[in-house]
Amino acid sequence: MIDRDLAVRLVVAASTRVNDHQEELSRLDSVAGDGDHGVNMATALAEAARRAQQGDHSTAADVMRAAGSAFHETVGGAAGALFGSFFGALAAGLSRSAAPDASLLVAGMEKGLARVARVGKAEPGHKTMIDALAPAVSDARKSVDRHDDLGSVMAAAARAARRGARATAGMRPSAGRARFAPDHSLGTEDPGANTVALVLESWADQLSSEVRA
Ligand code: ADP
Ligand code: MG
């Protein structure tokens, strides 16, 4: 079950991981974008972690909702609104039960992907965060349908997200700021797809360290 304290640990793990990679994320964004992605995401997640830890939350859904609000209220930029929508949808999924499990988390991730696609109007292959998120959600769904435990579901999602992020190097962007310089970014991975991979990897690692402990 995903309780309030676990949700807080997941948000904090994501914040630490993205903070550790923020220079690399901004460097990726500087190739065809404006070079602010690492700072945007590290700033939003630091605020998300602060709100997760300090808020008077009683459920995992409350924690994820607070994290989502930090993205919307802290950073400008396309990715801030899109990641905020993703966390908001996760919260909505988790809120459907008093004891949310892996299956509700995956339902929330599916809702999150749909919301990001609707808000950003990007499709797979457009070289955006969708190219990591869509395969991650699809493999998480397969894993949960096999009745894998939460840690295995997140590990499957993280592996698929990383593969998806790597594959964006071979794409020309047709969404976001990078679309104005489509050839510039050929050979470079999409920054937002990398953030998706980092967040899901941090969640998979957090869950596997808790099983071992
Ligand atoms: P900005 O582009 O406004 O400077 P960021 O640099 O923080 O914002 O984020 C850039 C990332 O946002 C891209 O790498 C991409 O993954 C994601 N992104 C941008 N536009 C879209 C969109 N329309 N749909 C999905 N993802 C998008
Ligand atoms: Mg940018």
Side-chain angles (χ1 to χ4, degrees):
M1 124 126 191
I2 304 165
D3 63 11
R4 171 202 173 280
D5 290 346
L6 175 56
V8 171
R9 292 194 295 279
L10 293 177
V11 174
V12 170
S15 171
T16 305
R17 185 68 58 101
V18 166
N19 190 57
D20 288 347
H21 289 82
Q22 71 162 294
E23 281 168 24
E24 179 191 330
L25 292 170
S26 285
R27 184 186 57 73
L28 292 175
D29 190 35
S30 69
V31 173
D34 55 358
D36 62 355
H37 185 68
V39 177
N40 287 345
M41 293 297 101
T43 306
L45 276 162
E47 176 61 15
R50 198 188 65 75
R51 291 185 189 193
Q53 288 171 298
Q54 293 184 358
D56 186 16
H57 309 300
S58 48
T59 65
D62 294 341
V63 171
M64 290 301 176
R65 199 172 298 111
S69 71
F71 279 93
H72 286 297
E73 291 163 26
T74 317
V75 294
L82 295 170
F83 276 92
S85 299
F86 181 73
F87 276 83
L90 270 191
L94 293 172
S95 72
R96 286 166 45 206
S97 161
D101 57 5
S103 141
L104 277 193
L105 183 73
V106 171
M109 289 171 71
E110 287 171 336
K111 199 174 280 192
L113 170 63
R115 218 182 262 185
V116 169
R118 193 174 61 240
V119 173
K121 298 186 180 66
E123 290 169 20
H126 284 179
K127 191 165 187 159
T128 69
M129 60 186 283
I130 295 272
D131 291 304
L133 198 50
V137 170
S138 156
D139 279 17
R141 164 55 60 196
K142 286 184 202 135
S143 180
V144 93
D145 285 351
R146 287 193 300 265
H147 306 290
D148 290 345
D149 63 20
L150 178 60
S152 307
V153 170
M154 201 47 75
R159 281 192 302 273
R162 180 54 68 191
R163 273 198 307 275
R166 292 218 172 98
T168 60
M171 299 175 185
R172 282 189 175 76
S174 19
R177 214 181 275 282
R179 75 187 184 282
F180 299 118
D183 292 329
H184 267 74
S185 81
L186 207 53
T188 302
E189 293 178 21
D190 176 66
N194 267 266
T195 298
V196 170
L198 288 168
V199 168
L200 295 179
E201 284 166 352
S202 79
W203 289 359
D205 289 351
Q206 181 67 34
L207 291 166
S208 90
S209 77
E210 298 198 0
V211 170
R212 277 200 307 273

